[in-house]
Amino acid sequence: MRITAEKDGFRIENGGGVPLIAELRLTAGFNGRKVEAKNWRSCGPDRFEAENGGIRFRAGVSSDDGGLFLKSEFTNETGSPVEVDFLRWSRLPERDSLAVPGPRLRVYREGWTMASACGTVGWGETDFRCNPDYLPFAVSVPERFEPPKPNRFTSEYVTVLLPDEGDSLLAGFVTTADRVCRFEIELGETAPAGFDAVSCGDRARLLPGETFRAEELLLLPGPDAWALLRKYAGIWGDRMQLRRRDHTPTGWCSWYYYFSKVTEADVLENLAYMKEHRAEWPLEYLQIDDGYQAALGNWLVTNEKFPHGLRFLAEQIRAAGIKPGLWLAPFMVEERSSLLVEHPDYVVHDSRGDIAWTTEWRGSRVAVLDGTHPGAQAYLRTLFRSLAEIGFEYVKLDFMMYACAAKDGRFHDPGATRVQALRRGLAAIREGFGDDRFILGCTTVLGASAGLVDAERISTDITPYWRPDNREDFAEAPTVPNVCRNVINRRYMHKALWINDPDVHIARLDNNRLSEEEVRLWSSALWLAGGLLLLCDRFESLAPERAELSKLLLRRTDAFRDVRPLDFRDSTVPSVWFGRFAETGAPVYGFFNFGEEPRRFAIRHDGPETAFKEHWSGQLLEADSGRIEAEVPPHGCRLFFGVTP
């Protein structure tokens, strides 16, 4: 790929000289103004400068491995402080390779947090429908999201344009440590009407002479959209200094059976079972979830349901040969907590100087810890150092998106962005907890946690029911189809950014409204997608036939490689998943029916296998001229393993 400066913009061509993007322009937003870079000039190899309106723009470009990397920044030369809104790359509507009619184009749009929906969308569709109450925690810039309009989409971190013919184009930010970064796409009748890549400024204060640097942007064309995402994730992970683990952990979690009613006795009962049946259940961690704490913010103090405290439990778990784990929501601070009473300056305040109350928690208002405050950072380091000293080797950090979502929030450091506030706090947690202990991120801003967590939840919560009764099915709502949508669409992130956490396995008969078919579908999804494996059933009441489903998953984590959705382009919720059994290399096809009626699947297999065995029924299916067909009941799944003659 080659880029050339042409007065007020840049022209990007592929290796054959064909314009991929005919004109790409750079605009800065500050104090409600928009200033466009004018009269670009070369200032060195692959470096360019421009000035306009008291702003000095700089751009740097490099080509590597088929892609083009763009760095951009602007320096405040206005003589006065400014509040930064954004730095934006915009494609002008021109005749180039992106000039594809909207009806022939689909867009992969990524979400901001684990619960945010991700998937491909197309002509005539709108952005995903979100619960208005949850919108500030599901998208980075809610005001740019609502109300949804046909053919206008936002995407966080990365997007892919998928035409019905020819190469796809991935555009993705490969650094995400400082800015909220997103894309705005608008399809048009004859060509995209809008295609913008934005690094948000979050009203961060920029003094005269200071420079605002956007996150680095990658443009990557290629014939296989899924392969582009995998390649992008690898580059993203390298830039963010991916933390590599030598294995994918397993464990047990209290939440999805006991929820907040969990007691010390419940934990000890399941611990005793795990200790007695170690050969059957070789689990690495036991994670105590929400329900033990006296208050959000008073994390070392337990409530009356846990009379012996955290140290006692950690000692009991370790004595059983299992590693202790604990759930926390480290940025949430309840109004009644001693932390807030003693240190109100540690939390985010609004523009009036009042505490920025962000949500409610079981009847109590909740403030947000300010990750830019030195005192708050010291508190987090001390808290997690104490947990490590007590004996905890694993923490699940929940609701961290609140650190980026305080309405009208103002940080102790006025020059900090939302992402920087979250990341500084998370860095203090990592420093206190230690580099060798395991951190699972949950309900956090995905890009901000890369390089600091070992694993990351990539879906909304799984539920012991298919979808809730009498409630609107928003895109981020906890339902089995929504979870599966994110699990397979984000499979490209696994072990490139972190270990994916698809959420826990539910297999039990009691305290569960999932049918036999639905439990089998969820088990199939976890088995095929891989990643962190946590169980959450009560061992004493787990029926033997359901226990076998969990044991199947435990025999080998990440049992499949090369996993991908085959209908990625055509379906927001992919229903045909592919992988190869890691032990033998045999192909496996998963047919998932998320609908309410039976569905017939038919695909063509290109390989030496002439027959396929369905895992759950044992049925042997001859591949007629390489064609595999099967009917799958509603909410059901069939897994076909290739058999070599």
Side-chain angles (χ1 to χ4, degrees):
M1 296 175 70
R2 187 167 68 94
I3 186 169
T4 55
E6 296 186 346
K7 193 179 179 182
D8 298 337
F10 294 91
R11 179 182 178 88
I12 300 174
E13 299 175 342
N14 65 18
V18 176
L20 178 64
I21 299 178
E23 188 166 2
L24 191 67
R25 292 194 175 185
L26 189 62
T27 304
F30 59 92
N31 292 350
R33 296 173 54 199
K34 297 179 182 178
V35 176
E36 189 174 271
K38 297 285 186 180
N39 299 313
W40 287 100
R41 64 183 182 275
S42 176
C43 60
D46 297 323
R47 293 170 57 215
F48 304 88
E49 280 191 353
E51 297 97 16
N52 189 18
I55 295 296
R56 182 181 296 275
F57 294 88
R58 298 180 187 86
V61 300
S62 60
S63 299
D64 186 36
D65 202 15
L68 187 71
F69 296 85
L70 301 174
K71 293 183 178 181
S72 57
E73 63 185 40
F74 74 87
T75 300
N76 175 16
E77 297 181 350
T78 65
S80 302
V82 300
E83 287 191 346
V84 182
D85 298 318
F86 60 80
L87 189 56
R88 176 190 300 260
W89 287 103
S90 301
R91 169 195 175 267
L92 268 62
E94 300 282 352
R95 295 303 303 173
D96 53 28
S97 295
L98 297 191
V100 178
R104 294 177 45 203
L105 192 64
R106 285 184 70 82
V107 178
Y108 177 73
R109 46 98 59 214
E110 186 51 84
W112 194 38
T113 67
M114 75 173 203
S116 305
C118 58
T120 59
V121 289
W123 181 252
E125 298 180 49
T126 68
D127 253 329
F128 297 114
R129 291 180 60 253
C130 291
N131 185 333
D133 295 333
Y134 193 76
L135 192 62
F137 317 120
V139 299
S140 63
V141 186
E143 62 271 20
R144 301 288 293 184
F145 191 86
E146 288 281 289
K149 295 181 180 179
N151 303 319
R152 291 180 62 179
F153 308 105
T154 60
S155 184
E156 319 279 355
Y157 314 115
V158 63
T159 188
V160 186
L161 301 183
L162 300 92
D164 57 4
E165 294 181 359
D167 281 357
S168 296
L169 175 68
L170 178 145
F173 290 94
V174 294
T175 59
T176 49
D178 296 304
R179 321 282 177 218
V180 167
C181 40
R182 73 184 195 281
F183 295 86
E184 297 175 0
I185 307 105
E186 183 175 0
L187 304 184
E189 287 278 359
T190 59
F195 187 72
D196 292 6
V198 186
S199 283
C200 297
D202 293 338
R203 301 189 310 271
R205 188 175 176 86
L206 196 68
L207 297 175
E210 290 186 334
T211 297
F212 178 90
R213 292 179 177 83
E215 300 288 12
E216 186 175 5
L217 178 65
L218 167 65
L219 300 176
L220 185 65
D224 184 339
W226 185 257
L228 294 179
L229 280 169
R230 282 293 296 168
K231 186 174 182 178
Y232 159 72
I235 297 169
W236 187 10
D238 287 344
R239 290 287 201 279
M240 296 297 291
Q241 298 181 332
L242 161 72
R243 293 177 55 81
R244 300 185 185 278
R245 289 280 178 170
D246 60 1
H247 71 289
T248 300
T250 61
W252 180 85
C253 164
S254 64
W255 176 251
Y256 293 87
Y257 186 91
Y258 300 99
F259 297 96
S260 61
K261 296 180 180 179
V262 66
T263 67
E264 181 182 284
D266 295 326
V267 173
L268 293 176
E269 176 198 281
N270 285 278
L271 174 64
Y273 192 97
M274 292 166 66
K275 180 180 179 181
E276 186 177 347
H277 300 85
R278 287 291 283 159
E280 294 178 72
W281 302 99
L283 297 166
E284 185 175 1
Y285 294 100
L286 186 154
Q287 179 208 304
I288 304 166
D289 215 286
D290 174 25
Y292 69 89
Q293 70 279 2
L296 303 180
N298 293 1
W299 297 109
L300 299 179
V301 182
T302 55
N303 57 41
E304 66 281 356
K305 296 182 296 160
F306 287 77
H308 294 94
L310 292 178
R311 186 178 296 274
F312 165 80
L313 280 170
E315 290 173 349
Q316 294 296 308
I317 296 168
R318 290 178 67 86
I322 299 168
K323 299 175 183 177
L326 192 68
W327 172 93
L328 303 94
F331 288 92
M332 297 180 74
V333 185
E334 276 188 83
E335 186 174 16
R336 64 191 179 94
S337 69
S338 60
L339 174 61
L340 190 59
V341 172
E342 296 169 8
H343 298 287
D345 54 321
Y346 285 6
V347 300
V348 177
H349 289 67
D350 61 25
S351 58
R352 299 181 305 275
D354 299 326
I355 291 175
W357 303 107
T358 302
T359 188
E360 288 194 358
W361 180 269
R362 298 165 191 163
S364 176
R365 291 190 296 180
V366 175
V368 178
L369 206 64
D370 183 348
T372 74
H373 195 291
Q377 295 168 9
Y379 157 78
L380 289 171
R381 277 191 293 270
T382 300
L383 169 62
F384 283 87
R385 190 175 293 121
S386 297
L387 290 172
E389 186 274 327
I390 288 171
F392 287 97
E393 299 186 41
Y394 162 118
V395 287
K396 173 184 175 181
L397 306 182
D398 209 349
F399 296 114
M400 289 194 290
M401 83 290 185
Y402 285 126
C404 294
K407 189 175 182 180
D408 192 30
R410 297 293 188 270
F411 298 120
H412 176 80
D413 177 359
T417 64
R418 290 176 286 168
V419 169
Q420 288 168 337
L422 169 56
R423 197 165 173 86
R424 290 178 198 177
L426 187 51
I429 290 172
R430 171 57 77 183
E431 183 181 346
F433 200 51
D435 198 57
D436 56 337
R437 291 179 175 83
F438 198 89
I439 294 180
L440 166 63
C442 188
T443 324
T444 188
V445 176
L446 294 173
S449 62
L452 291 172
V453 300
D454 299 288
E456 178 67 46
R457 272 283 298 283
I458 42 86
S459 72
T460 187
D461 287 358
I462 191 60
T463 52
Y465 47 81
W466 185 255
R467 57 169 49 93
D469 297 329
N470 304 318
R471 279 165 52 191
E472 201 163 356
D473 189 5
F474 292 108
E476 81 290 346
T479 72
V480 176
N482 284 354
V483 174
C484 290
R485 175 202 63 215
N486 281 19
V487 164
I488 189 60
N489 282 330
R490 287 185 174 147
R491 182 55 169 71
Y492 73 92
M493 297 177 170
H494 185 44
K495 293 190 174 178
L497 289 166
W498 43 58
I499 295 170
N500 276 6
D501 173 21
D503 212 3
V504 302
H505 187 225
I506 294 175
R508 58 187 180 262
L509 291 170
D510 62 319
N511 194 18
N512 186 8
R513 288 160 44 199
L514 291 173
S515 69
E516 187 77 23
E517 283 286 359
E518 291 165 352
V519 168
R520 190 174 291 171
L521 178 145
W522 179 232
S523 300
S524 300
L526 289 180
W527 195 24
L528 193 50
L532 192 70
L533 177 61
L534 295 183
L535 312 181
C536 70
D537 299 319
R538 182 188 176 207
F539 287 106
E540 290 286 359
S541 61
L542 185 58
E545 65 273 17
R546 294 294 182 87
E548 287 304 313
L549 294 174
S550 295
K551 291 176 182 177
L552 170 68
L553 304 184
L554 272 175
R555 285 184 197 128
R556 175 170 178 166
T557 56
D558 291 326
F560 299 88
R561 58 178 174 83
D562 303 330
V563 177
R564 61 184 295 163
L566 295 185
D567 52 347
F568 173 69
R569 185 193 183 279
D570 305 313
S571 178
T572 301
V573 185
S575 297
V576 183
W577 304 10
F578 172 82
R580 291 192 177 277
F581 197 43
E583 290 183 3
T584 64
V588 60
Y589 293 92
F591 297 153
F592 292 81
N593 183 0
F594 299 108
E596 303 304 317
E597 300 293 334
R599 179 178 173 185
R600 188 156 195 85
F601 290 83
I603 62 164
R604 185 166 298 281
H605 170 69
D606 183 17
E609 294 78 15
T610 58
F612 286 80
K613 185 176 183 180
E614 204 284 309
H615 174 77
W616 299 113
S617 65
Q619 172 192 4
L620 193 65
L621 178 69
E622 297 294 332
D624 184 16
S625 300
R627 188 174 176 84
I628 308 170
E629 295 188 43
E631 185 165 293
V632 181
H635 303 185
C637 174
R638 298 294 180 263
L639 293 179
F640 288 94
F641 284 74
V643 179
T644 303

